[in-house]
Amino acid sequence: MRKIKWILVLAIILIAVPTYAHQVKSGKKIHKLQFEDIETLIMERNPTIQINKNMRKNLNDNKNDIEDAIEDAEDDKEDLEDAIDQMDETIGELNQKIKELEVLKNSLDYENDKPEGNSTNGDVNSMDDGSDTDLGSKYNNLYKALEGTIIKVQELYQSNIMTLTQNKRAMRDQLEDFDKEIDKLPNQKIELDKTILQLEMVNESTVWGAQNLYLGYTNLQRQRDELAQNLELLDDQIDIMNIQQELGMVTPLEVSGIENQREQMVISLETLETQMDNIKGELNLMLGQDFDTPLKLEDELDIDEEIVSDMDYEDDLELAKKNSYSLELKTYDYRIQDNNEEWADDYGNYGDYRVAERNSENATIELDQERKNVELAFHKAYEEVHNKITALENEKRNLEYQQQKYDALKLRYELEMISKIEWKQGKAEYDSQKNKVETAQQDLLQAWLQYEAFVEGMNFQQQQ
């Protein structure tokens, strides 16, 4: 019964999130459900999975937005870098112009370049009529004006250089901000990938939960059938004891005791019926239909033992590690912390870097530990399948023994050597052993489903 309680708890957990079945276009009602159809139907109709599909579309859109943002930021960064390069080129050209103007300014030599004074017939003592002075003064003013113009142009170039340098500094700061933001964007994308993976895990868990509900129902059904058979035997016993009471062979207290036992058995039977109805209600909700929709669960649950015998420990372990959701989640965590460490190294202070370094180291340790956990859990799942094979073989041997006993008992009954109630009791023991074989087969199927899910990436042992 502990297993049944666990299955019911799992069912409650799986529907803890509100699932409004009437809002889901579930199509035609399902009135008969076979075990092999569960995965397809749940993936198509389950409200939670439908919501997850829409969430995944939104997350993929967000991923595309991030990729576009990264591309736009890279383009803006490239434009900034081009602008900075152009500014550097312009500053270089202006500095060159300033040097050229300085050379020109230094080449001005008024004493050597001024015009010679007027003379008559080469007479150096001829009287100066003042024209030489005026001409010299004009040249002097021209040289000074030219020198002043050169200086002003140099100052203008210097001012332009200062402005360009300030703009370049501002652009470099902006470029650094771009780098900071761009280097953060990959982590946002990883977080989205991680969330999408978690949605996939929820979907897989939902399918697995529905399969376990189905298995729980068939298990309860076998218990109900066995209890109903025992109740029939008990009624026969009560009829006999009533006769024995009339003959004084048993006391009223003894009859009352067995009648009380019958009442408890009836209550147990009703409880099993209620649990079975609840499971069908849960399955209806998981199929996106009203909980009270008539639903029939009828399937011969068995497993191909050849498939089980083909298990390969080494190959399946490698597949389990490759497909493991938990390992992939830890890998995402590691990548995020590794990126944070690189970011802190590039842009953070020493304290930021030390924290990021420790977080990255912790993520590495957790990833390695999770790999070991997966290996251990796989080993347990593998061993569990083999344990269930052994248990099934043992129950089959017991059934062969009970079959021989029942055949002998049936023959004695046909020869009227034993009473009908003795035959019924023997048949009940035989049917009980048949139920044990069927239960062992179902336990093997459940262990195999868990093993198969593990190889495909899910570790349901962590949820138990």
Side-chain angles (χ1 to χ4, degrees), residues 94 98 153-165:
L94 289 175
I98 291 173
V153 172
Q154 286 180 316
E155 291 174 349
L156 178 62
Y157 286 172
Q158 288 288 358
S159 176
N160 289 339
I161 288 173
M162 290 180 61
T163 301
L164 288 172
T165 301

Side-chain angles (χ1 to χ4, degrees), residues 398-433:
N398 289 338
L399 179 61
E400 290 177 0
Y401 171 69
Q402 289 294 336
Q403 179 75 56
Q404 294 171 359
K405 281 183 61 178
Y406 175 67
D407 289 342
L409 190 69
K410 185 178 179 182
L411 179 60
R412 293 177 66 192
Y413 174 68
E414 291 172 350
L415 295 174
E416 299 182 354
M417 297 174 63
I418 59 173
S419 65
K420 184 176 183 179
I421 191 170
E422 288 178 304
W423 171 73
K424 281 188 174 182
Q425 288 174 338
K427 185 176 186 303
E429 291 179 4
Y430 170 69
D431 290 340
S432 176
Q433 185 57 41

Side-chain angles (χ1 to χ4, degrees), residues 5-18:
K5 290 180 181 177
W6 178 86
I7 292 173
L8 293 175
V9 170
L10 174 64
I12 294 171
I13 293 173
L14 287 172
I15 65 163
V17 178

Side-chain angles (χ1 to χ4, degrees), residues 83-93 168 172:
I84 291 173
D85 291 340
Q86 291 175 4
M87 286 183 180
D88 284 334
E89 185 178 344
T90 302
I91 289 172
E93 291 175 353
K168 188 176 75 169
R172 286 198 179 280

Side-chain angles (χ1 to χ4, degrees), residues 168-194:
K168 188 176 75 169
R169 188 178 299 112
M171 284 188 174
R172 286 198 179 280
D173 292 340
Q174 190 177 357
L175 186 61
E176 184 175 351
D177 291 338
F178 266 118
D179 287 335
K180 286 182 180 180
E181 294 306 316
I182 290 174
D183 288 348
K184 285 182 178 179
L185 290 176
N187 270 4
Q188 295 180 26
K189 187 171 179 291
I190 293 174
E191 289 287 359
L192 291 176
D193 286 332
K194 183 178 174 182

